[in-house]
Amino acid sequence: MSKDKVQSNLSMVTTEGVAGPESMGAHFSLAYRKRSSLFADGWCYVSARSALFAVLDACRPALLHVPNFICPVVFESCEAARIPVRRYRMNSAHCAEFPSLRDGEKIIVPNYFGLGEEMVSQSVAEFGADRVIVDSAQGFFLPDQNCLATLYSPRKFLPVADGGLVKTELSLRIDLPDEKASLRRSEYLLSRIGSAPESSRSAYVEAEKSLSPISFESMSTVTKALAESFDLEFIRESRRKNFLHLARAFDCINQLSWTIGDQVPLCYPLLIDGGERIRAELLMKRIFLPIFWPGIAPNPGYEAQMAQTALHLPVDHRYREDDMNFLIDLIEKIRKNN
């Protein structure tokens, strides 16, 4: 089914006669104001893994080169599409051991932490636009790349429970959404308002599990409406300001080197001695940091360090300078006491 056909099926029947609202009166929906057309020129799926599946189904590479250091669901999408995979290594956040590509082969290149635009551009220049799939799940604000497809995961940057986006010239298959399933997944977002994260953790985990089946299912109406209601400029600037504040405090001890430029980061990745111990003590203080990625088999060196000891500090729009100072002081205190 085409993208336009899905959108047509989703629209409500309008009243005959003079053009007007689809309906008037009745009860309120969750209030929102449409601020931007995020999805007008993209293919919208229930998740980024399903978006990748649709891309692979359309282009059918003879072999896909995938970095070892990447979210394991990428390999699940490849398996679902029955595309053979060959792994390549990352030896730093800014440098990959890129393979040679034969006829019919393609490569997926990640935009790590929303800070990998340089490596993405390098890969397109090296392999050509029609052979590179950019995985920008960690970089929602990365501009559409001149490549075969660019994948985004809005829920890593916006408070939505599902959704994946593809920018591509390919013609993809897309099916109708499961609106009720999307509403069920959104439960944890409402439960999280005014409550501790522990109280809605189980609902969040169940919502994540519900995205496991890989399909051509499209993004729900509620996800689109919510995503397009957020102040993206506020989100963008908050992340950049918070990242730069942490950078001023930690760049001198960070074993990683970041150049932010115009990029919008997912987090501030901090690699320092004793990272696992610091993460454990932060958890005791109810500072919850993600691990990228559980379930991968990292190679020695950079991949193992990032998977095991790196601290991925939050920089999102919920936090201000005072919050960053609190986090900085807490990490410094833990380091001094051990």
Side-chain angles (χ1 to χ4, degrees):
M1 183 178 294
S2 71
K3 175 173 58 173
D4 292 339
K5 181 66 174 177
V6 170
Q7 291 172 341
S8 173
N9 287 348
L10 292 175
S11 28
M12 297 178 67
V13 177
T14 56
T15 306
E16 292 183 1
V18 179
E22 293 171 343
S23 65
M24 297 180 70
H27 51 281
F28 286 121
S29 69
L30 183 68
Y32 71 93
R33 175 185 176 186
K34 186 171 182 177
R35 294 175 178 267
S36 60
S37 297
L38 289 175
F39 309 117
D41 59 346
W43 297 83
C44 305
Y45 289 90
V46 69
S47 66
R49 71 195 71 173
S50 288
L52 175 58
F53 169 67
V55 169
L56 295 176
D57 179 74
C59 68
R60 307 304 307 177
L63 179 74
L64 185 67
H65 295 267
V66 181
N68 186 60
F69 183 61
I70 201 167
C71 182
V73 300
V74 169
F75 297 103
E76 294 174 14
S77 298
C78 296
E79 183 177 356
R82 297 183 179 179
I83 301 298
V85 166
R86 183 171 297 156
R87 302 187 185 216
Y88 65 92
R89 292 184 59 174
M90 297 297 303
N91 53 38
S92 80
H94 313 294
C95 188
E97 296 179 7
F98 281 142
S100 298
L101 268 60
R102 297 179 180 178
D103 289 346
E105 297 182 354
K106 303 190 186 302
I107 186 169
I108 187 164
V109 179
N111 175 19
Y112 286 122
F113 319 116
L115 298 166
E117 190 169 358
E118 180 180 353
M119 190 175 75
V120 166
S121 299
Q122 176 192 349
S123 69
V124 173
E126 181 169 340
F127 298 115
D130 62 340
R131 307 187 81 178
V132 177
I133 299 170
V134 174
D135 176 3
S136 198
Q138 293 190 332
F140 183 67
F141 290 90
L142 178 75
D144 186 13
Q145 300 296 293
N146 179 28
C147 62
L148 181 65
T150 306
L151 309 170
Y152 302 91
S153 181
R155 63 196 176 91
K156 293 186 174 53
F157 283 72
L158 309 175
V160 292
D162 49 39
L165 176 65
V166 185
K167 299 290 185 72
T168 183
E169 294 299 318
L170 293 169
S171 181
L172 307 183
R173 173 181 166 181
I174 188 165
D175 295 342
L176 291 171
D178 186 339
E179 301 285 358
K180 291 183 179 179
S182 185
L183 288 173
R184 289 193 296 271
R185 276 191 290 269
S186 300
E187 176 190 348
Y188 77 84
L189 293 168
L190 295 174
S191 299
R192 180 72 172 89
I193 298 173
S195 65
E198 293 90 341
S199 63
S200 54
R201 176 67 182 177
S202 60
Y204 166 75
V205 171
E206 287 303 312
E208 289 289 302
K209 287 180 180 178
S210 73
L211 294 172
S212 292
I214 295 172
S215 69
F216 296 104
E217 181 186 333
S218 63
M219 185 184 295
S220 72
T221 305
V222 68
T223 295
K224 287 183 182 178
L226 287 174
E228 292 183 330
S229 73
F230 301 126
D231 186 341
L232 295 186
E233 190 57 31
F234 169 71
I235 292 172
R236 176 197 300 271
E237 289 307 310
S238 295
R239 284 181 172 274
R240 287 176 52 80
K241 286 179 181 178
N242 289 335
F243 180 95
L244 290 169
H245 196 75
L246 293 178
R248 285 190 288 271
F250 292 130
D251 274 3
C252 58
I253 61 171
N254 197 349
Q255 296 169 27
L256 302 169
S257 175
W258 302 111
T259 301
I260 186 172
D262 294 327
Q263 299 174 103
V264 182
L266 175 73
C267 58
Y268 178 83
L270 175 61
L271 187 61
I272 53 178
D273 293 338
E276 288 179 282
R277 171 180 47 79
I278 294 172
R279 186 194 299 122
E281 295 204 30
L282 289 173
L283 182 60
M284 293 174 63
K285 301 289 186 181
R286 303 181 68 245
I287 307 295
F288 306 99
L289 304 183
I291 297 175
F292 300 123
W293 277 273
I296 71 164
N299 286 301
Y302 168 77
E303 294 179 4
Q305 287 180 306
M306 294 303 294
Q308 297 165 8
T309 65
L311 305 175
H312 300 285
L313 305 182
V315 298
D316 64 72
H317 60 278
R318 294 173 292 179
Y319 307 114
R320 303 293 176 271
E321 185 174 315
D322 287 348
D323 302 305
M324 297 297 99
N325 287 333
F326 170 80
L327 184 57
I328 291 165
D329 292 343
L330 185 56
I331 291 174
E332 292 292 359
K333 183 178 179 180
I334 292 172
R335 292 181 66 230
K336 289 177 181 177
N337 289 343
N338 291 274

